[in-house]
Amino acid sequence: MTAISLDVPRPAQFGPGQNSAQFSRTAALAASAASSPARHPGSFSRQTTHAMSQLQAQYAEASASALALASTSTPQINGNARAVSPGHAPSRPGQPLANGRRKTSPIPPSSRRPSSAPGDQQVAPSSSRADGGPTDETNGAVATRPPKPPLLRSKSEHARLRFDEPEDEVDEEYYDLGARHGFEDHYLSEDIIAQLANNWYMYFTDKRHETTGKPKTPAFELQDWRMRDRLKTVSAAIAVCLNIGVEPPDQLRTTPGSKLEAWQDPTIPPVGKALENIGKSLQAQYETLALRTRYKQYLDPSIEETKKFCISLRRNAKDERVLFHYNGHGVPKPTASGEIWVFNKNYTQYIPVSLYDLQQWLQAPTIFVWDCSEAGNILKNYHKFVEKHEQEEEEQVLKDPNHEKTNFRPYIHLAACDSKENLPTNPLLPADLFSCCLTTPIEMALWFFVLQNPLNTTISPERARKLPGRLQERRTPLGELNWIFTAITDTIAWTTLPRPLFRKFFRQDLMVAALFRNFLLAQRIMPVYGCSPQSYPELPDTRRHPLWDSWDLAVDMALEQLPMLERREADGVPYDYVNSTFFTEQLTAFEIYLTRGDAVSQKPPEQLPVVLQVLLSQQHRLRALILLGRFLDLGPWAVQLALSIGIFPYVLKLLQSAAQELKPVMVFIWTRVLAVDISCQQDLIKDNGYTYFAAIMKPQETFPVVGVVVLDEHKAMCAFILAMLCKGFKPGQIVCNSTDIMTYCLHHIEHPENPLLRQWSCLCISQLWRDLPDAKWRGIRENAHHKLSYLIKDHCPEVRAAMAHAMTTFLGIPDLTDEVARIEEGIAWAMLELATDGSPIVRKELLVFFSHFVLRYESKFLVAAYEQLLEEKEYQLFPPPEDGLDHKMGSHYTRSENRERDGTIKPCAFGVAHDSVFAACWKHINILSVDPHPEVQRDATNILDYVHHALLHSPVGAQAQTLMDEILRRARKVSRGDMSQRISVAGTRTAAAQPMPSPGLLKRTASYLFGPLMGTLDGTPNTPTPPSTPGAQRSFSQRSRKGPSLENAPPEQHDQITSPSNYHIANEPLCAGYRERKPKEIPSLPLVSTFLDWSTEYFREPQMKAPEAEEPGSNEYNQRLWRRARNEGVLRETQPQKTHARTHKWNSQAGVIPIGSQPSKMTFHQFENHIAVADDGNTITIWDWKTNSRKSRFSNGNPEGSKISDMRFINEDDQALLMTGSSDGVIRIYHNYDSDVGVELASSWRALTHMVPSNVNSGMVFDWQQVNGQVLVAGDERVIRIWNAGHEMCTHEIPARSGSCVSALASDQMTGNIFVAGFGDGAIRVFDTRMRPQESMVRKWKDDSRQWVRSVHMQRGGQRELLSASRNGKVHLWDIRMEQPLKTFQTTKDVLRTASTHEHLPIFAVGTSAHLVKIFDFDGREITRVEPYSSFLQGHKAAPLAATSFHPHRMLLGCAARGDHHVSLYSCGSDRVGSF
């Protein structure tokens, strides 16, 4: 169910200063979540958003002012305090609460239901202001968003409309004329008017109605973000070939020239130790990059040394990566073929080393750093020699298959310059500029910044390089710059490299990542001095990336403080270093990204690597985590992006943090991660990370930090995390079972306000004890099965389904003792109640339970199935007598001689399975095999076929086959027209459609039961009937075969003018994603539940993003705005017609609609030009009455012999659905009813399940209350049932207090508290649902003539008149406060066949058996009489009327006669007729 707010508060309602505390939309939605009894994972009002809005509040509370604000800004919602988000709201500020309900902009049907959908009590709290403004309790702290185009609710049947007419005219309409029944109080009640005007709920539009519990095919491909082939650089050789004092022949030296090597000056005495100092310094620089790597210096190495240390390097590293650093400043440049130079032993010659040999010694994996001129030659030749090696290896394998191949890949190269480029000799630069960039990037960047600074400054490069601080300490100037540099280079790489390359070089190996980050700096610095650094694999040029400007700013801010820092160190002058604003600004940029279209279009954010770095800082950590949570909320693509960049180790490490303020956001982040990638289970067990969430699950857990509370949503998310830990992961189940997690979950399933918590507590238990006997025994000790069974009556369908899922996984303790069997049978008895549940997902889960239960006790079910066949045969041979004692037999049937005098079965006739849970389950499986929902029917049929297949292959298979053949033979005999035998479907006895069976009763029998698996009488397989065509079932108490008496029977019962319409002549809509069973496939059990995966999808969907329909300018918003304007236009046009309708004839033909079959029911849409017409079979046709064109045609699926009792459009203010009720007791709801292609079954259930015999049959009558989402259902039952659409369950069973059937229903559409029932014996009773069921009948009017009440109707508008029409033509006007009718009219001397009352105009019409429609006003004056169109060929001139219906607003009447296939439309003659 979805909420739509249809009003926007006026800004004038709120005084100045109220924007100080903005109530975020997400917090408001979640804050109201507690009041809803009917939510689902697709409609939990985005409960997780409340959790995240709390985190926003926590961040804001970092300042004292925010703390003060939080302490004064906690509005009371429905009496429950909810925290207000002081700032940094994840989305727009919210709107005020009206009547304790969230006022939102319109939400599309595909969106979520708001938490405050009305339940049984509709009266708003007295403390709420009707205008939706702040109540006294809020102290005016609730702010509103800026005004936007108003989406006003169409107040068609409720409050006064704001017309442009003078005020007194509007007043006159209601207060001069008044309203019946004392209802004028409703128009004076600010609470009721505000509730109706500002809140609107859409029903049957939740995710469960769109998917029926089937998970979507993942729209994302799970990426492997873990480094499976992770390599480490374990050893490094630093080869420094300087030969200080001797210049190589091809190296040009300038005077003065660059001389610093590893920041050491080799000319400073003692010169003899210069080479050693340079080697030590270079090693120390490398150690800042990766301390764990083993380094070895080789200073001026000879060729022999080179070979020796290379081979040793590979031997020690084994299969890990080795680093080879080559400084060739003291030897010739690499040759054109890529040879590098070293020395001979006596340093008298330069000896070349070929790349071929170097590859042979070092093999792979390797990383090379080439700091020498013309280093590009090495890269260009290296690949050739690798290919040559690989070719030789292949040849060796061909010669010797046992030859072990040597790997020469992968390899990485970083080179200082390209071919024909020389290293710079600028005296202001170090000689090993490339090595400095790679190993000391911060010093080099500071040095470079000073050299390039265009401003005059006294700071020299040498001073800048000595900026105080330590690289590892982020609070020091140098450490902070290093931190910023890491973030910037990571981000540059993230935004320029392909994702696989980024992960390979920047996330796989600490050394490689550091070198590549620093290589980006070399890319920026060295081209300034004529060098182009080279790499393999090649990196794109990043020197013009805009983030380098941010880096220059950070360096500039640090160097600006250098003089003061130097004075502090030298003279002790106090000075506090001012930290950079870089990270704060980047987080702000990330926050802006989250609110812009880039996030919606799934454009990766540039700031994600920065957020990763910020997590290292305690100062910014909370804000970064909150923003990260908001980013992950965007969907699986965002989660995968974050995992691929390396966020997981950080959030895993934070599970060891004791910081209380991080817990809520950590729970949210882990929820999002596990919803996308469940492979993190092992990580949660490591270091006991799961205890972080188990502790939060504690019932009384709170955080001792101001403003931080554990919300129910946090506990629900923890339950989800622990459920995912246990899902298919035995170690996770074992560790969870060793704690008190089950105890916590059993406590939370009793939580009265949060259905998400109840649902996931059930699912957590289900995964905890799945296939784990120890956990099941623990559950038995804690009485878990009994506690779970209380949820059978839970108001939320998802909770009931989750409970069924938990019960299913409980079955199967290996040691089947008597105690275990007793417990499991007790569970099965309790679960039977779900068979009549209104939600298909619950019934589907029940069938999954049944499938496991059948497998567990298969032999006992074979006995039950065999006895059922015997019972079926007995039913056919000995139909029940008409003694009214049929119900005394219970769920079994036997012939009359085996029954006692009082109707009960004699003990000697008891079967083996008599009154056992197995027989009861078997009968319910049979009932569900003809369920109106196709998926439920398909699954039940699967179980039936499995058991019958097993029965036929059991020792009694031959006898069973004989029984089946006989049952089938008799069934076929009936289908050929012999109505003397009554049959049923596999012995099920539930609501039948008619007293006599019809071929429609065979639908189940002709399906899979006796199909190809079992063999048939003639040896040929039957053509299976699709399970989506449910067959009728015989009644628990078979109805009387006596014809109804003509005195009081409804006209249709003895109308023989025409034969019934054909059935199933149009396609029957199926639910979305329905998959047919393959008929020839051998059935297998157990059924596989998809409920857990479907529930998990809730945590993959964005919860914090405003719905599209709430964004002004979006398509959905504009469409809804247009519909609202159209609705208001219809109302303005039609409201002034009251006087006109009474004074003009209704004989203007507005059209004739050719239906193609006999119309029996019709209804108009309030605002669309749609009329739905049902024939007397099961076909529904939707027409556009204005253009006289057919929109769609489909079958309602009710079985032959039944008919469509009535139809209603629901959610008419927006995108309507069509609700139908059929005489077999079934309600169906259709999406996209006006499209032949798009029409789908949203939901269906059997609303009447215990039809009882009566003299005449009304089948089923129902009424829909949009105001509170209730379906009133009555008919051939002793009770009137009220089904709640939000709960999808029967909430009231009100005794009808009559032996006659209910023939008509009407209710107060404004508050939904009062309803009126007309009966077949002429009585009319008024009920008040606010009272106890036994006391709810508040008025009874009896008619001495005992005539069938054809219609009762209470107007939605106008004076709210209540009219009743009886078959003898009498029409009464009632006031529910009066004992006698206000007025009585004799409208016709013929039989009254139909009666309709206009919703607003003082007009009603009756259709007679003399082919007349008479239109009267409420004074009983006949205004017009018309004869509906009859075709020339059919021409039953005296045919009785079949149906009449008024348009709810327009002056338009539709009518149809028996024996004709047309609907005639008439309008009231006036100047405005042309608009029709």
Side-chain angles (χ1 to χ4, degrees), residues 677-729:
D677 192 346
I678 202 175
S679 68
C680 311
Q681 293 166 314
Q682 187 64 52
D683 302 281
L684 276 177
I685 292 181
K686 189 170 58 178
D687 300 328
N688 293 328
Y690 71 96
T691 58
Y692 189 90
F693 307 106
I696 297 174
M697 282 281 287
K698 289 180 182 176
Q700 304 304 323
E701 174 70 1
T702 56
F703 299 145
V705 178
V706 177
V708 182
V709 295
V710 178
L711 298 175
D712 299 330
E713 287 78 12
H714 296 139
K715 295 181 188 293
M717 287 186 271
C718 288
F720 165 76
I721 291 168
L722 295 169
M724 291 299 102
L725 172 61
C726 296
K727 183 182 177 184
F729 187 56

Side-chain angles (χ1 to χ4, degrees), residues 1283-1341:
W1283 291 81
N1284 187 292
H1287 304 163
E1288 295 192 61
M1289 65 188 298
C1290 181
T1291 55
H1292 296 75
E1293 284 196 353
I1294 297 174
R1297 309 280 288 272
S1298 172
S1300 180
C1301 61
V1302 179
S1303 58
L1305 274 178
S1307 62
D1308 167 24
Q1309 293 289 339
M1310 190 166 181
T1311 63
N1313 297 324
I1314 303 292
F1315 72 89
V1316 182
F1319 290 82
D1321 61 1
I1324 298 172
R1325 291 174 173 83
V1326 181
F1327 299 87
D1328 189 333
T1329 59
R1330 292 168 294 188
M1331 303 177 72
R1332 292 175 55 224
Q1334 291 76 16
E1335 303 167 357
S1336 58
M1337 191 184 80
V1338 295
R1339 180 74 63 206
K1340 176 184 176 183
W1341 298 304

Side-chain angles (χ1 to χ4, degrees), residues 798-812:
E798 287 77 13
V799 176
R800 301 197 296 273
M803 179 276 301
H805 189 77
M807 292 295 204
T808 302
T809 56
F810 176 81
L811 297 178

Side-chain angles (χ1 to χ4, degrees), residues 434 437-438 517-527 531 533:
F434 186 59
C437 288
L438 293 185
R517 276 198 302 269
N518 302 344
F519 181 77
L520 299 181
L521 179 68
Q523 271 191 330
R524 186 187 189 211
I525 292 177
M526 298 194 69
C531 288

Side-chain angles (χ1 to χ4, degrees), residues 849-868:
F849 172 85
F850 280 156
S851 69
H852 283 82
F853 194 61
V854 165
L855 272 184
R856 179 89 159 151
Y857 301 96
E858 185 172 322
S859 59
K860 296 187 178 183
F861 274 95
L862 293 182
V863 174
Y866 186 78
E867 291 189 352
Q868 176 74 38

Side-chain angles (χ1 to χ4, degrees), residues 1349-1416:
V1349 176
R1350 190 65 197 85
S1351 166
V1352 290
H1353 187 92
M1354 183 179 286
Q1355 285 187 304
R1356 298 187 186 188
Q1359 289 183 263
R1360 314 293 305 284
E1361 295 285 9
L1362 172 61
L1363 276 80
S1364 69
S1366 301
R1367 182 177 175 274
N1368 59 3
K1370 282 190 177 181
V1371 173
H1372 301 284
L1373 264 69
W1374 305 94
D1375 189 306
I1376 62 174
R1377 298 169 294 181
M1378 306 293 182
E1379 293 282 355
Q1380 299 299 324
L1382 299 172
K1383 298 176 183 177
T1384 301
F1385 317 125
Q1386 182 68 45
T1387 58
T1388 179
K1389 293 180 180 179
D1390 300 308
V1391 175
L1392 185 145
R1393 301 299 302 266
T1394 70
S1396 300
T1397 306
H1398 200 283
E1399 294 287 5
H1400 300 278
L1401 306 180
I1403 297 294
F1404 70 91
V1406 298
T1408 72
S1409 58
H1411 198 70
L1412 278 179
V1413 176
K1414 297 182 179 182
I1415 298 153
F1416 297 83

Side-chain angles (χ1 to χ4, degrees), residues 1175-1469:
D1175 66 11
D1176 55 357
N1178 62 6
T1179 306
I1180 296 172
T1181 311
I1182 310 295
W1183 280 77
D1184 185 317
W1185 53 262
K1186 201 164 191 177
T1187 62
N1188 204 20
S1189 59
R1190 195 179 82 182
K1191 305 289 287 185
S1192 65
R1193 187 182 192 213
F1194 55 90
S1195 169
N1196 187 53
N1198 48 290
E1200 296 179 37
S1202 65
K1203 59 188 174 69
I1204 297 171
S1205 300
D1206 210 347
M1207 297 177 292
R1208 293 283 191 277
F1209 288 106
I1210 68 175
N1211 305 340
E1212 288 177 279
D1213 279 39
D1214 202 70
Q1215 291 177 311
L1217 282 69
L1218 181 65
M1219 175 183 286
T1220 69
S1222 49
S1223 60
D1224 59 345
V1226 170
I1227 297 282
R1228 292 176 175 86
I1229 295 101
Y1230 297 100
H1231 281 301
N1232 308 319
Y1233 63 86
D1234 57 344
S1235 165
D1236 276 327
V1237 178
V1239 60
E1240 288 179 346
L1241 184 69
S1243 186
S1244 60
W1245 74 97
R1246 197 171 298 282
L1248 291 184
T1249 55
H1250 296 83
M1251 290 186 171
V1252 296
S1254 62
N1255 292 333
V1256 289
N1257 306 291
S1258 63
M1260 180 177 79
V1261 292
F1262 77 92
D1263 193 28
W1264 165 251
Q1265 294 178 339
Q1266 182 74 47
V1267 67
N1268 54 12
Q1270 292 186 157
V1271 192
L1272 280 67
V1273 183
D1276 297 334
E1277 277 206 357
R1278 295 288 187 245
V1279 295
I1280 299 169
R1281 296 188 178 193
I1282 300 179
W1283 291 81
N1284 187 292
H1287 304 163
E1288 295 192 61
M1289 65 188 298
C1290 181
T1291 55
H1292 296 75
E1293 284 196 353
I1294 297 174
R1297 309 280 288 272
S1298 172
S1300 180
C1301 61
V1302 179
S1303 58
L1305 274 178
S1307 62
D1308 167 24
Q1309 293 289 339
M1310 190 166 181
T1311 63
N1313 297 324
I1314 303 292
F1315 72 89
V1316 182
F1319 290 82
D1321 61 1
I1324 298 172
R1325 291 174 173 83
V1326 181
F1327 299 87
D1328 189 333
T1329 59
R1330 292 168 294 188
M1331 303 177 72
R1332 292 175 55 224
Q1334 291 76 16
E1335 303 167 357
S1336 58
M1337 191 184 80
V1338 295
R1339 180 74 63 206
K1340 176 184 176 183
W1341 298 304
K1342 293 198 72 172
D1343 185 8
D1344 294 335
S1345 61
R1346 298 182 63 83
Q1347 289 287 322
W1348 181 279
V1349 176
R1350 190 65 197 85
S1351 166
V1352 290
H1353 187 92
M1354 183 179 286
Q1355 285 187 304
R1356 298 187 186 188
Q1359 289 183 263
R1360 314 293 305 284
E1361 295 285 9
L1362 172 61
L1363 276 80
S1364 69
S1366 301
R1367 182 177 175 274
N1368 59 3
K1370 282 190 177 181
V1371 173
H1372 301 284
L1373 264 69
W1374 305 94
D1375 189 306
I1376 62 174
R1377 298 169 294 181
M1378 306 293 182
E1379 293 282 355
Q1380 299 299 324
L1382 299 172
K1383 298 176 183 177
T1384 301
F1385 317 125
Q1386 182 68 45
T1387 58
T1388 179
K1389 293 180 180 179
D1390 300 308
V1391 175
L1392 185 145
R1393 301 299 302 266
T1394 70
S1396 300
T1397 306
H1398 200 283
E1399 294 287 5
H1400 300 278
L1401 306 180
I1403 297 294
F1404 70 91
V1406 298
T1408 72
S1409 58
H1411 198 70
L1412 278 179
V1413 176
K1414 297 182 179 182
I1415 298 153
F1416 297 83
D1417 65 10
F1418 286 171
D1419 292 328
R1421 292 178 301 186
E1422 182 179 328
I1423 298 172
T1424 311
R1425 62 174 61 189
V1426 294
E1427 293 189 11
Y1429 169 86
S1430 291
S1431 67
F1432 174 75
L1433 293 176
Q1434 288 169 308
H1436 296 294
K1437 215 43 190 165
L1441 263 292
T1444 56
S1445 179
F1446 279 106
H1447 190 284
H1449 298 298
R1450 301 185 183 277
M1451 295 187 294
L1452 187 65
L1453 171 67
C1455 50
R1458 298 292 296 175
D1460 190 70
H1461 295 174
H1462 297 82
V1463 170
S1464 301
L1465 301 179
Y1466 295 93
S1467 62
C1468 183

Side-chain angles (χ1 to χ4, degrees), residues 17-67:
Q18 290 176 342
N19 289 327
S20 58
Q22 292 183 338
F23 193 14
S24 75
R25 170 189 173 275
T26 54
L29 274 173
S32 62
S35 63
S36 170
R39 288 181 293 265
H40 70 68
S43 63
F44 281 109
S45 298
R46 298 186 165 89
Q47 293 190 39
T48 48
T49 62
H50 192 188
M52 289 306 295
S53 64
Q54 287 285 336
L55 306 177
Q56 298 284 353
Q58 294 165 30
Y59 177 73
E61 285 165 357
S63 64
S65 61
L67 277 170

